[in-house]
Amino acid sequence: VPKKSSQPVTLSAVARHAGVSVATVSYVLNGVQESRIPENTRARVQESIRALGYVPNANARSLRVGRSDLVVVHLLGGLPMLQRAAAGLDQVSTQLRAAGFTLMIHSDASLRGAEAARHWSALRPAALLTDAGFLDAASLAQVQAAGSIAIAVAHDLDPKKPVTMPTIVFDHAAVGETAVQHLIERGCREIMLIEPQHPGARVIARQRKRGAQRAARATKGVRLSTAELPFDPRAAAEVVASWNKGSRPDGVFAFDDDHAGLLLGALTDRGWRVPQQIGLVGSDNSSFCEMLRPRLTSTSIDVESVAESMVEPILGAIEGRWREGVSERPWRARLHPRET
Amino acid sequence: VPKKSSQPVTLSAVARHAGVSVATVSYVLNGVQESRIPENTRARVQESIRALGYVPNANARSLRVGRSDLVVVHLLGGLPMLQRAAAGLDQVSTQLRAAGFTLMIHSDASLRGAEAARHWSALRPAALLTDAGFLDAASLAQVQAAGSIAIAVAHDLDPKKPVTMPTIVFDHAAVGETAVQHLIERGCREIMLIEPQHPGARVIARQRKRGAQRAARATKGVRLSTAELPFDPRAAAEVVASWNKGSRPDGVFAFDDDHAGLLLGALTDRGWRVPQQIGLVGSDNSSFCEMLRPRLTSTSIDVESVAESMVEPILGAIEGRWREGVSERPWRARLHPRET
DNA sequence: CTGAAAGCGCTTACAG
DNA sequence: CTGAAAGCGCTTACAG
């Protein structure tokens, strides 16, 4: 039960209450091993902390040690992106907390590179994760000058640009591999990959394509082709219209459920039977897969593997074990088989 | 261009560089009016700040003034409430920044009430937004003892519980009103509201119902009925099976696009023609509305109005103009007419 | 109008 | 094993 007094409860109040010095309280709080504190002193301090409702002031601690326990994640593309990242980030948050860090998500579409760097640096976060390419050299230098570790998150790397900071690459290949494996198991041999046009999606699509190619190579007689599809119902209709009985895929892996759904609509309009004539797999396992007729088979990224790909690299960078270079831990994928 | 030295650039370094005292630099930084600083001193200080690449240390400032500039938003994992407001939060973030605050989102499903309160309080945030009911009395007291303003976010209020803190109520009524108005304009008179079973969604549904009733009352001869629909294809099939030519709605407002899509699938399976025999409107304007056949008409919340409902109340609470009670600024809605 | 100084709440060598 | 003390980088009354 917190104290009712208007006086904020400080570490020295706890020390006074427990009859020890502030140093002792601090040692108990931070579990310092060097100076072994006897069990009964420790218990007395813990009891005083509880009795007074003491909550350490993170600002004071951060000022003293020169940086905060914050790990700031910049969510580029605005908070709506949260939908996709949410489940993974939640686990990252839990695991970082166990290591003493607090993950916070920041999103502000109106914040530009240099100004954003100043804004974040002011908090002296332990680490700052942002999209590769968001920080220019000067902004990166500013973040580093403030003592923070900047970590880039990318879906692919520009081979012409040197890697100048720790970079976590997200690897979606398993999604494509799983999807195409499923189509092959269903008997498809002429498999088409749909590539989205949205710039932000293209890099992800490239990775999924890599996985798809891996799966195709593993079985004799499987051929892979690709088609680009803007996210637009008319474009989907055009793609489908270009197919005829002689020349068409018998299985399609669309980049995501949205594109798959668009295609499914166009296929239905055109009278194709799915999956009898054409198999179709999307990705993301969106809620609407159950609503479509036929119900859309989908794939998704394993949330655990997302957390795995981030936590260790982040902690490594903070603790100085990783100063630069690329960390690429392939994500795992799941299949969600339905009717298509 | 930031300085290359390993010495962190502090306010006193800026003062030295500009040939003034630290107080003067601080006054320039914070735009203190009381002591009018001559333009040329001010310019010299600004120039030094730029030359040295100075970034203020927010931890030091926060320690000194007793609280930080953080506004922490707790994103409660399972609840759709803040997820739906995501686009709005981005705007809230921008507007709070203009007022000198930094919005940060925290999400960690493994963090329970009292522990969460301690975790957040340690940062001494200016304000903490969380779901009404997440903080029990002791946790709330702890947040307040640490000097932070706790603000509850709710979709409805338990009339039995007294309102003990500033509470922002999100009002979805306009969504229901807009949807039903559209159905009425299309000629529907026997309108059914679909109510979701998921506990987190029910309160939102109740508000949308309120708006729907308002729209129904505005036109003579419109009758409103309700049906509950678990999020499950079989349940949708059952609901639709219970309708026959004599006794059925001619217009349906489903709680959201997910439920509408489920219903549309069941209607299609059963051979009903939409919208000729039954009009159908969902909500959220999800991407898959374009994919369904027929294309699903939807409604959505106006993002600007979400920001309006939050920013002023948050600033008011921080600045002490609002100590308790309820703020309820109705959101506006938009119609996205398609085929249904 | 500007400066010297106290103090916010911690951590951590250093002495005892 | 424990305590006294310095100092992190700011803000802000107070004096000049």
Side-chain angles (χ1 to χ4, degrees), chain B residues 255-303:
Chain B
F255 164 69
D256 61 10
D257 293 332
D258 285 357
H259 288 78
L262 227 46
L263 224 42
L264 184 57
L267 285 164
T268 305
D269 291 346
R270 197 83 185 176
W272 290 106
R273 281 177 301 130
V274 179
Q276 294 83 346
Q277 295 175 296
I278 300 186
L280 180 62
V281 180
S283 181
D284 288 347
N285 197 31
S286 313
S287 64
F288 60 85
C289 293
E290 281 293 340
M291 299 171 204
L292 300 172
R293 293 292 178 279
R295 294 172 179 80
L296 182 64
T297 295
S298 190
T299 51
S300 70
I301 290 157
D302 178 65
V303 168

Side-chain angles (χ1 to χ4, degrees), chain A residues 11 26-27 30 54 61 64:
Chain A
L11 197 148
S26 179
Y27 291 145
N30 298 300
Y54 170 66
R61 170 176 226 285
R64 181 55 228 250

Side-chain angles (χ1 to χ4, degrees), chain A:
Chain A
V1 181
K3 207 178 168 187
K4 281 291 172 189
S5 121
S6 62
Q7 288 280 43
V9 180
T10 65
L11 197 148
S12 76
V14 173
R16 215 162 28 241
H17 187 272
V20 297
S21 77
V22 292
T24 304
V25 178
S26 179
Y27 291 145
V28 170
L29 272 175
N30 298 300
V32 174
Q33 311 285 356
E34 285 76 48
S35 48
R36 270 233 142 295
I37 292 164
E39 193 44 59
N40 82 37
T41 303
R42 188 183 303 274
R44 211 162 65 243
V45 169
Q46 294 288 14
E47 175 49 32
S48 296
I49 287 172
R50 202 171 15 252
L52 299 175
Y54 170 66
V55 178
N57 185 326
N59 297 307
R61 170 176 226 285
S62 300
L63 172 60
R64 181 55 228 250
V65 306
R67 69 149 203 228
S68 74
D69 292 333
L70 255 31
V71 171
V72 173
V73 174
H74 172 218
L75 207 63
L76 193 58
L79 288 169
M81 278 298 286
L82 200 59
Q83 312 277 8
R84 277 184 197 216
L89 276 184
D90 213 77
Q91 296 215 1
V92 175
S93 182
T94 301
Q95 293 178 32
L96 287 179
R97 184 163 61 86
F101 297 97
T102 302
L103 185 142
M104 289 269 174
I105 296 167
H106 185 258
S107 174
D108 185 336
S110 71
L111 211 44
R112 287 166 35 253
E115 199 185 357
R118 290 176 58 83
H119 200 69
W120 295 321
S121 298
L123 294 167
R124 303 294 190 269
L128 166 66
L129 274 78
T130 187
D131 194 59
F134 184 82
L135 295 178
D136 56 26
S139 303
L140 173 61
Q142 193 156 63
V143 170
Q144 290 170 337
S148 301
I149 309 287
I151 301 173
V153 176
H155 281 278
D156 76 343
L157 293 173
D158 184 342
K160 283 170 293 186
K161 280 194 186 167
V163 173
T164 57
M165 58 172 133
T167 302
I168 298 174
V169 174
F170 287 164
D171 182 353
H172 288 248
V175 169
E177 186 168 20
T178 300
V180 169
Q181 275 169 353
H182 173 72
L183 288 169
I184 292 174
E185 277 165 30
R186 282 222 169 192
C188 306
R189 289 299 176 268
E190 296 286 338
I191 295 173
M192 177 173 278
L193 302 183
I194 294 299
E195 300 194 277
Q197 266 201 336
H198 177 65
R202 277 172 112 146
V203 289
I204 302 178
R206 209 172 308 151
Q207 294 184 334
R208 295 184 175 183
K209 182 175 183 173
R210 201 152 35 81
Q213 290 169 330
R214 209 153 57 204
R217 274 197 304 273
T219 303
K220 288 261 180 258
V222 172
R223 296 207 309 198
L224 222 49
S225 58
T226 60
E228 206 171 70
L229 177 61
F231 189 66
D232 170 22
R234 276 165 312 188
E238 271 174 42
V239 167
V240 171
S242 75
W243 296 343
N244 56 56
K245 289 231 162 77
S247 151
R248 60 163 179 84
D250 57 8
V252 175
F253 169 50
F255 163 68
D256 62 10
D257 294 331
D258 285 359
H259 288 77
L262 227 45
L263 224 43
L264 184 57
L267 285 164
T268 305
D269 291 347
R270 197 83 185 177
W272 291 106
R273 280 177 303 131
V274 179
Q276 293 83 347
Q277 296 176 293
I278 300 186
L280 180 62
V281 180
S283 182
D284 287 348
N285 198 30
S286 314
S287 65
F288 61 85
C289 292
E290 280 294 338
M291 299 171 203
L292 299 171
R293 293 295 179 274
R295 294 171 180 82
L296 182 64
T297 294
S298 190
T299 51
S300 70
I301 290 156
D302 179 63
V303 168
E304 295 283 347
S305 67
V306 173
E308 280 169 23
S309 72
M310 298 182 73
V311 173
E312 230 305 291
I314 291 171
L315 293 177
I318 292 173
E319 287 157 16
R321 298 194 303 273
W322 182 35
R323 304 260 101 192
E324 93 183 33
V326 173
S327 167
E328 190 162 6
R329 306 191 183 197
W331 288 348
R332 294 184 294 275
R334 292 177 182 205
L335 179 74
H336 304 272
R338 294 194 184 84
E339 297 173 358
T340 66

Side-chain angles (χ1 to χ4, degrees), chain B:
Chain B
V1 182
K3 207 178 166 187
K4 282 290 170 190
S5 121
S6 62
Q7 287 279 44
V9 180
T10 65
L11 198 147
S12 76
V14 173
R16 214 164 27 245
H17 186 273
V20 297
S21 77
V22 293
T24 303
V25 177
S26 179
Y27 290 146
V28 169
L29 272 175
N30 297 300
V32 174
Q33 310 287 356
E34 284 77 48
S35 49
R36 271 233 140 294
I37 292 163
E39 193 44 58
N40 82 36
T41 303
R42 187 183 304 273
R44 210 163 66 243
V45 169
Q46 294 288 15
E47 175 47 34
S48 297
I49 288 173
R50 201 170 17 252
L52 299 175
Y54 171 65
V55 178
N57 184 325
N59 297 307
R61 170 176 227 284
S62 300
L63 173 60
R64 180 56 229 247
V65 306
R67 68 149 204 231
S68 74
D69 292 333
L70 254 32
V71 171
V72 174
V73 173
H74 173 216
L75 199 68
L76 199 52
L79 268 157
M81 83 172 17
L82 286 174
Q83 299 261 12
R84 279 168 201 269
L89 273 184
D90 210 77
Q91 297 215 359
V92 174
S93 182
T94 301
Q95 292 178 33
L96 286 180
R97 184 164 60 88
F101 297 98
T102 302
L103 185 140
M104 289 271 174
I105 293 170
H106 186 257
S107 173
D108 185 337
S110 71
L111 210 45
R112 288 167 33 255
E115 200 185 357
R118 290 174 59 83
H119 201 70
W120 296 322
S121 298
L123 295 167
R124 304 293 190 268
L128 166 67
L129 273 77
T130 187
D131 192 61
F134 184 81
L135 296 177
D136 57 25
S139 303
L140 173 61
Q142 193 157 63
V143 171
Q144 291 170 337
S148 300
I149 308 287
I151 301 174
V153 177
H155 280 279
D156 76 342
L157 294 172
D158 184 342
K160 283 170 291 186
K161 279 194 185 165
V163 173
T164 57
M165 58 173 132
T167 302
I168 297 175
V169 174
F170 288 164
D171 182 353
H172 287 248
V175 169
E177 188 168 19
T178 300
V180 169
Q181 275 168 354
H182 173 73
L183 290 169
I184 292 173
E185 277 164 29
R186 282 223 170 190
C188 305
R189 289 299 176 269
E190 296 286 337
I191 295 173
M192 178 173 278
L193 303 183
I194 294 299
E195 300 192 279
Q197 265 200 336
H198 177 66
R202 278 173 112 145
V203 289
I204 302 178
R206 210 173 306 150
Q207 295 183 332
R208 295 184 175 183
K209 183 175 182 174
R210 204 153 32 82
Q213 290 168 329
R214 210 154 56 206
R217 272 197 305 274
T219 303
K220 288 263 180 258
V222 172
R223 296 205 312 197
L224 223 50
S225 58
T226 61
E228 206 171 70
L229 177 62
F231 189 67
D232 170 22
R234 277 165 311 188
E238 271 174 43
V239 167
V240 170
S242 75
W243 297 342
N244 56 55
K245 289 234 163 73
S247 150
R248 61 163 178 84
D250 57 9
V252 175
F253 168 50
F255 164 69
D256 61 10
D257 293 332
D258 285 357
H259 288 78
L262 227 46
L263 224 42
L264 184 57
L267 285 164
T268 305
D269 291 346
R270 197 83 185 176
W272 290 106
R273 281 177 301 130
V274 179
Q276 294 83 346
Q277 295 175 296
I278 300 186
L280 180 62
V281 180
S283 181
D284 288 347
N285 197 31
S286 313
S287 64
F288 60 85
C289 293
E290 281 293 340
M291 299 171 204
L292 300 172
R293 293 292 178 279
R295 294 172 179 80
L296 182 64
T297 295
S298 190
T299 51
S300 70
I301 290 157
D302 178 65
V303 168
E304 295 283 347
S305 67
V306 172
E308 280 169 23
S309 73
M310 298 183 73
V311 174
E312 231 304 292
I314 291 171
L315 292 177
I318 291 173
E319 287 157 15
R321 298 194 304 274
W322 182 34
R323 301 262 100 189
E324 88 182 36
V326 173
S327 167
E328 190 163 5
R329 308 191 183 197
W331 288 347
R332 294 184 294 275
R334 293 176 183 205
L335 179 73
H336 305 272
R338 295 192 184 84
E339 297 172 357
T340 66

